């Protein structure tokens, strides 16, 4: 795998997971951008999802890892950006297929729903799996907003949304 910058962030419930996974990333020679939090004091997970997705959008990081209690909140927050394909994974199969078929660029984990060993295994599968492309590319393009534009509230349409098939 080419040297990549991996951003990692968590809320207060994911701090311990974040520190363990950050160590695993460094062990395999990746550059890690730690975007916090670094305390068990209660914080708002959308702030950390925003920091991480902005780092990817600005090109500061190539991929990301987000951790909260269940992963659900981080998943919802991260996937609000059209260039983010964040996958909440509970198994190595989830992590592998999220890369292989969906070209996920953010791995999301739940610190309260996974053991740390499964989380490490998911991270390894996520990092080691390449995107297959082919028939999956068309779908990824649609998810990434290359093919779909949303009508703005002021009724000005940038581009028509595709018709259902």
């Amino acid at each position: 795998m080419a040297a990549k910058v991996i951003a990692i962030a968590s809320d207060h419930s994911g701090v311990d997971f974040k520190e363990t996974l950050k160590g695993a990333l460094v062990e395999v020679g990746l550059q890690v951008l730690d975007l916090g939090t670094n305390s068990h004091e209660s914080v708002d997970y959308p702030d950390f999802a925003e920091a991480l997705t902005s780092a990817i959008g600005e090109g500061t990081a190539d991929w990301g890892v987000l951790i909260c209690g269940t992963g659900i909140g981080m998943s919802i927050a991260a996937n609000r950006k059209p260039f983010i394909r964040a996958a909440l994974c509970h198994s190595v199969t989830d992590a592998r297929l999220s890369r292989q078929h969906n070209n996920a660029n953010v791995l999301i984990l739940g610190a309260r729903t996974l053991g740390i060993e499964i989380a490490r295994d998911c991270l390894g599968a996520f990092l080691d799996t390449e995107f297959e492309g082919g028939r999956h590319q068309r779908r990824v393009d649609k998810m990434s907003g290359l093919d779909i534009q949303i009508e703005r509230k002021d009724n000005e349409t940038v581009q028509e949304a595709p018709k259902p098939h």
Side-chain angles (χ1 to χ4, degrees):
M1 183 176 136
K4 290 190 178 288
V5 176
I6 308 296
I8 190 167
S10 71
D11 72 357
H12 52 281
S13 64
V15 171
D16 297 333
F17 261 47
K18 181 177 67 79
E19 290 305 314
T20 299
L21 296 177
K22 189 167 75 169
L25 291 166
V26 170
E27 282 175 17
V28 296
L30 295 170
Q31 185 178 355
V32 179
L33 175 61
D34 185 342
L35 298 170
T37 192
N38 298 309
S39 158
H40 292 101
E41 298 282 326
S42 183
V43 296
D44 296 334
Y45 60 82
D47 298 337
F48 296 91
E50 174 64 28
L52 186 135
T53 58
S54 291
I56 292 173
E58 296 164 359
T60 307
D62 299 297
W63 285 351
V65 178
L66 287 169
I67 307 151
C68 68
T70 63
I72 296 167
M74 286 289 199
S75 183
I76 292 167
N79 279 311
R80 295 178 60 84
K81 305 261 178 111
F83 54 88
I84 296 297
R85 293 172 306 281
L88 174 56
C89 296
H90 296 100
S91 69
V92 169
T93 301
D94 290 347
R96 181 177 48 80
L97 291 173
S98 76
R99 289 283 310 126
Q100 207 170 43
H101 292 183
N102 308 117
N103 200 16
N105 55 3
V106 178
L107 172 65
I108 301 190
L109 301 166
R112 293 180 181 146
T113 60
L114 291 179
I116 191 61
E117 289 307 315
I118 292 173
R120 286 177 67 104
D121 292 345
C122 287
L123 179 62
F126 188 85
L127 296 173
D128 292 341
T129 304
E130 296 292 326
F131 177 51
E132 275 184 1
R135 72 184 190 277
H136 303 293
Q137 185 64 56
R138 179 181 74 250
R139 298 163 188 158
V140 169
D141 289 346
K142 286 181 178 185
M143 286 187 295
S144 298
L146 299 178
D147 190 278
I148 299 171
Q149 294 294 324
I150 299 169
E151 283 190 38
R152 293 178 14 191
K153 285 187 179 186
D154 62 6
N155 293 324
E156 179 183 333
T157 303
V158 178
Q159 177 183 355
E160 266 188 54
K163 307 290 185 253
H165 293 55

